[in-house]
Amino acid sequence: VSLLLYLLFPAVFYAMEAAFADLWIAYLGSALSFSLIYVNVQIDLKRKILEKEAELAETRIAILLSQIQPHFIFNTLSSITDICEGNSLAQKCLITFSEYLRVNMDSLMRKKPISFEQELEHVRQYLSLIHISEPTRLGMTSYSVFCLQTKKKQQK
């Protein structure tokens, strides 16, 4: 279609020039044709740049994930949880942190966006970790309300 327009503009204006014997009409047709070519090339280049940037971002994520070696991390966290057998708070913290990391890793690998429920659970895990490490930071009331609302929704 674009090639047809590139050829059609000058041809139409040259025909008009022949009919009206004005040279400036042919120049106008050529200028419009070249302008159209330039704009089309710029749009195409911009599209290719955006595609390459998206591809680069995906590649970077894949490289980071391969460097992290998730199985090693999760196995290590599981071993540490077993070592902390007598300390239920430490076990709870490690289990919550493992789940938090697993959700993060899984969401990086997905092509589709995660659901709101999954995101809400992720936030709950994060707040739970913050509450364990710094109980006064969140304010017990707001944290308790958030956890109760989450539990009520999970029970439905």
Side-chain angles (χ1 to χ4, degrees):
V1 173
S2 297
L3 182 62
L4 183 64
L5 289 175
Y6 300 149
L7 298 174
L8 189 63
F9 265 127
V12 167
F13 282 97
Y14 281 118
M16 289 176 65
E17 183 229 342
F20 298 112
D22 284 334
L23 189 60
W24 68 271
I25 293 178
Y27 291 140
L28 180 65
S30 295
L32 285 174
S33 180
F34 288 127
S35 297
L36 183 63
I37 291 170
Y38 177 78
V39 168
N40 220 1
V41 166
Q42 292 301 314
I43 290 171
D44 191 44
L45 285 175
K46 188 76 157 179
R47 182 185 51 80
K48 287 179 182 178
I49 288 170
L50 291 174
E51 287 174 0
K52 292 295 182 184
E53 286 175 350
E55 185 179 316
L56 180 62
E58 287 178 15
T59 304
R60 284 181 179 164
I61 289 172
I63 289 171
L64 284 174
L65 285 176
S66 70
Q67 290 174 346
I68 291 174
Q69 300 175 356
H71 295 294
F72 172 74
I73 291 172
F74 294 126
N75 289 341
T76 304
L77 287 171
S78 179
S79 298
I80 294 171
T81 302
D82 292 341
I83 292 170
C84 296
E85 193 170 317
N87 188 341
S88 63
L89 183 61
Q91 282 186 319
K92 179 183 176 186
C93 186
L94 284 168
I95 290 169
T96 303
F97 183 63
S98 294
E99 291 171 357
Y100 179 80
L101 280 179
R102 190 174 308 277
V103 170
N104 269 342
M105 300 278 187
D106 291 344
S107 66
L108 287 175
M109 300 296 283
R110 296 177 70 168
K111 298 287 182 188
K112 297 178 184 176
I114 62 172
S115 69
F116 179 75
E117 289 79 19
Q118 289 171 323
E119 184 67 28
L120 189 61
E121 178 62 22
H122 191 66
V123 169
R124 189 196 62 74
Q125 290 169 345
Y126 175 78
L127 289 175
S128 178
L129 287 170
I130 295 295
H131 182 69
I132 289 169
S133 64
E134 301 177 49
T136 59
R137 182 174 173 191
L138 293 175
M140 191 58 189
T141 308
S142 62
Y143 177 73
S144 299
V145 168
F146 179 78
C147 287
L148 287 174
Q149 289 174 346
T150 304
K151 287 180 183 177
K152 285 180 184 177
K153 288 181 182 179
Q154 288 175 349
Q155 291 173 353
K156 288 182 180 180

